Amino acid sequence: MSIPKLTVRVARKTLVAQGICCVELVSASDAYALPAFTAGSHIDVYLPGDIVRQYSLCNDPGETDRYVLGVLNDPNSRGGSKAMHEAVTEGCTLEISEPKNHFELSPDAEQHVLFAGGIGITPILSMVQFLARNGRPFKMHYCTRSKATTAFAQRLSAPSLATHVTHYFDDAIGTPKLELEAELKTLRLGAHIYVCGPKGFMDWVLGTARSYGWPESQLHYEFFAADAPDLSDADSFDVRIASSGQVITIAKDKTVVQALAECGIEIETSCEQGICGTCLTGVKEGRPDHKDLFLTQAEHDLNDQFTPCCSRSLSPLLVLDL
Ligand code: FES
């Protein structure tokens, strides 16, 4: 199934911190407006070189005329951030998907407590602007390596946001460090926690919250990148296509997506790391070996869908709803 695309124009591109650019997208045509979005949404961006990447929208969802992205020029990138920094220029057009949101603010939260690590600020920035504009109780902790690498500091210094935000800089001696355990102890029982940033940062915040018995329903997070799947001790297994009965063997060194593509069965992918959910496929029989960071533990336990870009199988056969 192909995803409908929108054409947008890069209206502005600026450097907002060391290695981080801000890209402002507007509708490429007066004939249509940009679809509305909610705080925490992201879009797929189709970049030169057949690259598709997800970027969070970091502006206030109350803005209806533009989408704003923040992009880190990551030296370990697989090409997306390099293309965004080097090949995308003001005035050029890009294709994007409509906004999608897997990282929503909870309407039930008595308080919103947001943790951003580095470039993880992007969805969090949209959230805090929404919360401030709507008078909701929130506080935000923003951890970066240094002032120079702190994106959107000026936006966060606005009077409506500044009193809710605490900055932490790794390189600044004598400045406060995030005392996570102490912070979690002070939160109201009805507080919801939101985390975005590098995997180590997220594992730390989420792991600490879980160790304090924080319920999963009050933990919200979005990963940007995952560790490459370790296939060194992977086993081969079979998948059966439910609609045709065709059985395909997934070799140890192939993903399900790759093996099916070799047999002419295309599954749409984007991140290929188990983060975005684009490849999500139903499972009718068998037990997937979930390797993704997209589904929740409760969704993994149901074993009725999996991400074939990275996940494998614990049973000799998986029957896929294809
Ligand atoms: S392509 Fe993103 S989760 Fe599979």
Side-chain angles (χ1 to χ4, degrees):
M1 191 181 72
S2 68
I3 296 172
K5 293 178 188 167
L6 305 166
T7 305
V8 291
R9 181 171 53 81
V10 178
R12 228 168 146 229
K13 184 179 171 196
T14 49
L15 209 58
V16 286
Q18 195 177 304
I20 299 176
C21 69
C22 175
V23 178
E24 189 177 319
L25 306 174
V26 297
S27 175
S29 162
D30 293 338
Y32 61 88
L34 296 176
F37 69 99
T38 50
S41 294
H42 69 272
I43 53 171
D44 296 338
V45 179
Y46 298 82
L47 290 161
D50 264 349
I51 298 170
V52 188
R53 290 290 178 270
Q54 293 73 47
Y55 294 101
S56 296
L57 301 181
C58 60
N59 51 319
D60 185 333
E63 295 180 355
T64 56
D65 58 339
R66 62 176 190 158
Y67 294 153
V68 181
L69 317 178
V71 183
L72 170 69
N73 196 358
D74 180 354
N76 300 317
S77 121
R78 295 170 299 139
S81 68
K82 187 171 155 60
M84 208 55 159
H85 273 257
E86 295 175 12
V88 170
T89 54
E90 284 185 10
C92 76
T93 55
L94 290 172
E95 290 197 308
I96 63 169
S97 70
E98 292 196 1
K100 302 174 244 189
N101 199 341
H102 305 306
F103 188 35
E104 293 184 63
L105 288 166
S106 169
D108 304 324
E110 288 175 25
Q111 181 189 28
H112 302 268
V113 184
L114 308 105
F115 296 89
I119 194 61
I121 183 61
T122 51
I124 301 284
L125 181 61
S126 181
M127 289 174 165
V128 294
Q129 291 172 99
F130 172 85
L131 293 168
R133 184 164 51 80
N134 288 280
R136 307 270 179 85
F138 75 96
K139 58 178 157 174
M140 172 185 156
H141 301 279
Y142 186 12
C143 302
T144 50
R145 281 191 285 118
S146 64
K147 279 192 178 168
T149 60
T150 301
F152 305 109
Q154 195 179 354
R155 182 75 196 87
L156 290 166
S157 68
S160 61
L161 299 176
T163 53
H164 302 272
V165 179
T166 309
H167 288 271
Y168 308 91
F169 306 109
D170 289 349
D171 72 343
I173 297 160
T175 55
K177 297 287 170 221
L178 173 54
E179 302 289 350
L180 184 57
E181 280 114 357
E183 171 63 10
L184 291 173
K185 280 186 199 157
T186 68
L187 297 184
R188 298 185 211 165
L189 281 180
H192 281 234
I193 291 171
Y194 304 83
V195 195
C196 192
K199 187 166 182 299
F201 174 80
M202 296 185 61
D203 287 346
W204 173 55
V205 177
L206 293 170
T208 309
R210 286 177 179 131
S211 74
Y212 277 84
W214 216 266
E216 283 300 320
S217 58
Q218 288 171 233
L219 298 176
H220 310 268
Y221 47 88
E222 185 160 77
F223 284 90
F224 278 157
D227 297 331
D230 179 8
L231 298 179
S232 55
D233 60 350
D235 280 329
S236 63
F237 57 96
D238 289 340
V239 298
R240 188 163 73 223
I241 307 302
S243 61
S244 66
Q246 184 180 2
V247 174
I248 297 163
T249 297
I250 314 300
K252 295 175 182 207
D253 60 346
K254 290 268 158 67
T255 67
V256 177
V257 166
Q258 289 167 341
L260 266 57
E262 286 173 4
C263 297
I265 301 168
E266 296 290 339
I267 296 179
E268 176 141 6
T269 61
S270 181
C271 71
E272 298 177 5
Q273 293 183 301
I275 298 169
C276 71
T278 304
C279 66
L280 211 55
T281 300
V283 174
K284 294 182 127 194
E285 277 177 51
R287 197 163 153 230
D289 184 7
H290 297 288
K291 305 278 190 195
D292 64 284
L293 298 169
F294 177 76
L295 297 169
T296 63
Q297 187 57 50
E299 289 169 329
H300 282 167
D301 292 344
L302 289 174
N303 286 327
D304 61 353
Q305 55 185 343
F306 84 140
T307 51
C309 67
C310 62
S311 296
R312 302 190 67 78
S313 182
L314 294 172
S315 52
L317 175 73
L318 282 183
V319 180
L320 303 185
D321 191 9
L322 289 170

